[in-house]
Amino acid sequence: MKRLFLLVSLLVLSKFSAQTWATEDQYIQKFAKYAVEEMEKYKIPASITLAQGLLETGGGQSRLAREGKNHFGIKCKEDWTGKTMKHTDDAPNECFRVYDDPRQSYEDHSIFLATRKYYTGLFNLDMKDYKAWANGLKKAGYATNPRYASILIGKIERYKLYEFDNTNSKEALYAVLKLYPNLKDDRTFMAQLEPEKYTKKAKDPVTVVVPYKQTTYAQQQKRVERIKTKAEILNTILIKSHPNDGLKYIIIPEDTDVQYIAKKFKISESRLIKWNELESDVLQKNEIVFLESKNSDGNTPTYKAESGEDMHDIAQKFGIKLNKLYAKNRMDEGQQPSAGQLIYLIDKKPRN
């Protein structure tokens, strides 16, 4: 009986933190406190942070939020040493940060704004003037959508997120309750406000024995890998639509060659080699391969080259012809960028 009682108590404690959020209202209920905590530490309006989180994650439904606990689309960059995941944003297979907890994502977002020179002017604004902050973010180049500021303001006013600019971390959940009074009937939410009332402790410690063998999963994985063949893996290739005008492309799931891909997609080898500017008929895992001719321009104005990237990598990432990329950047063919170099993808690089 004691064991059952403890398990019920643990479920009450953990349910709110483990639940999924199907609506934007649920997202606000879950993450408003994080936004207020960040406001106290970094002087960024909680309404702005929360509206950005809502927008970036689609109310918590984005793949980055669900799988990577990354709520602000923060990419790896050269200084990131934590876990990563591949995701298509401006280009296929871009590197994004993976967090152990969404709270880390919220703090990383604050650090990003507080330490980038582009956003220093924001911190001269009134912290309770969410409209000025929204327009300031757009002006500083935080997003390319021309309606970005109005979208943020719309979400703030629709959900009255400005209420969180007038509270503190100790009172944040009460502010949530004020906006969503029906939560007073939600035991899992109320347990956060009054834990002594909604949770109980078992009198005696309980040892839970889990019938799990440490090697079970590993053995199953080995068995699966033995069954899989290279052909089976390659048969999982799906044609994707590139952000650059919907160009058709694939990502190679396993080392193979041009001949196999040409045969599979009924395209001549010579065309595949020409379209992708290949110097070899060997295709490596995670390589991007276009199934039609690339464009003369990219889909974003500029890009900062990452460490180890060459011009061909960038051309494939953004679906732009390699010779056009060299020409736009006034570089000789074969010349490679340095880490952090600004690469022009639409207009030609200005002369010095």
Side-chain angles (χ1 to χ4, degrees), residues 55-88:
L55 180 59
E56 296 272 1
T57 67
Q61 301 304 305
S62 73
R63 177 172 173 258
L64 284 176
R66 289 184 288 104
E67 298 179 20
K69 298 181 176 62
N70 185 335
H71 286 230
F72 298 92
I74 298 180
K75 297 178 183 178
C76 298
K77 304 299 181 184
E78 61 277 359
D79 57 344
W80 179 250
T81 58
K83 299 176 186 175
T84 65
M85 65 183 287
K86 298 292 185 181
H87 180 70
T88 296

Side-chain angles (χ1 to χ4, degrees), residues 81-279:
T81 58
K83 299 176 186 175
T84 65
M85 65 183 287
K86 298 292 185 181
H87 180 70
T88 296
D89 187 33
D90 292 323
N93 264 13
E94 289 188 281
C95 183
F96 286 84
R97 301 182 182 189
V98 170
Y99 301 95
D100 295 324
D101 187 287
R103 183 178 265 108
Q104 295 170 311
S105 174
Y106 268 72
E107 181 157 29
D108 224 4
H109 168 261
S110 298
I111 293 171
F112 179 83
L113 291 182
T115 59
R116 295 299 194 277
K117 62 180 181 180
Y118 316 107
Y119 308 116
T120 53
L122 294 172
F123 295 88
N124 296 323
L125 301 173
D126 183 347
M127 198 170 68
K128 294 185 179 181
D129 190 347
Y130 61 85
K131 290 183 180 179
W133 271 80
N135 285 296
L137 280 167
K138 177 64 186 76
K139 187 177 179 180
Y142 186 90
T144 57
N145 187 337
R147 296 186 59 249
Y148 186 75
S150 61
I151 293 171
L152 289 185
I153 293 169
K155 287 191 180 294
I156 290 169
E157 295 181 344
R158 176 183 178 185
Y159 294 110
K160 300 181 180 179
L161 302 183
Y162 46 76
E163 295 285 352
F164 297 110
D165 295 338
N166 299 302
T167 188
N168 57 59
S169 56
K170 292 181 180 179
E171 302 293 325
L173 290 178
Y174 290 100
V176 172
L177 188 61
K178 179 182 176 182
L179 291 177
Y180 301 97
N182 289 340
L183 285 175
K184 67 179 183 297
D185 298 321
D186 186 328
R187 290 181 61 86
T188 55
F189 177 81
M190 294 303 295
Q192 296 182 101
L193 286 174
E194 302 173 0
E196 67 286 346
K197 179 178 178 180
Y198 288 88
T199 60
K200 296 180 180 179
K201 297 180 180 179
K203 293 180 180 179
D204 301 317
V206 178
T207 301
V208 179
V209 179
V210 181
Y212 172 77
K213 292 182 179 179
Q214 188 175 3
T215 58
T216 301
Y217 179 75
Q219 289 173 341
Q220 289 176 344
Q221 285 298 100
K222 286 181 180 179
R223 199 154 40 240
V224 169
E225 291 304 318
R226 282 198 298 268
I227 295 171
K228 278 186 176 180
T229 64
K230 183 175 180 178
E232 287 173 330
I233 294 173
L234 291 171
N235 279 335
T236 64
I237 298 175
L238 296 176
I239 297 177
K240 299 175 181 288
S241 181
H242 195 280
N244 189 354
D245 286 344
L247 290 171
K248 294 179 182 178
Y249 76 98
I250 60 173
I251 295 176
I252 304 299
E254 189 75 15
D255 291 356
T256 186
D257 53 42
V258 172
Q259 184 179 13
Y260 178 90
I261 299 300
K263 184 177 180 180
K264 179 175 178 63
F265 292 99
K266 298 180 173 58
I267 300 172
S268 71
E269 293 179 45
S270 59
R271 285 187 176 181
L272 280 179
I273 291 171
K274 179 181 178 182
W275 290 340
N276 294 279
E277 296 108 355
L278 299 174
E279 296 181 353

Side-chain angles (χ1 to χ4, degrees), residues 20-28 30-31 50-62 65-66 71 155 159:
T20 56
W21 41 94
T23 68
E24 292 196 328
D25 289 301
Q26 289 176 332
Y27 185 92
I28 294 164
K30 173 72 176 175
F31 296 108
L50 201 51
Q52 286 187 291
L54 279 170
L55 180 59
E56 296 272 1
T57 67
Q61 301 304 305
S62 73
R66 289 184 288 104
H71 286 230
K155 287 191 180 294
Y159 294 110

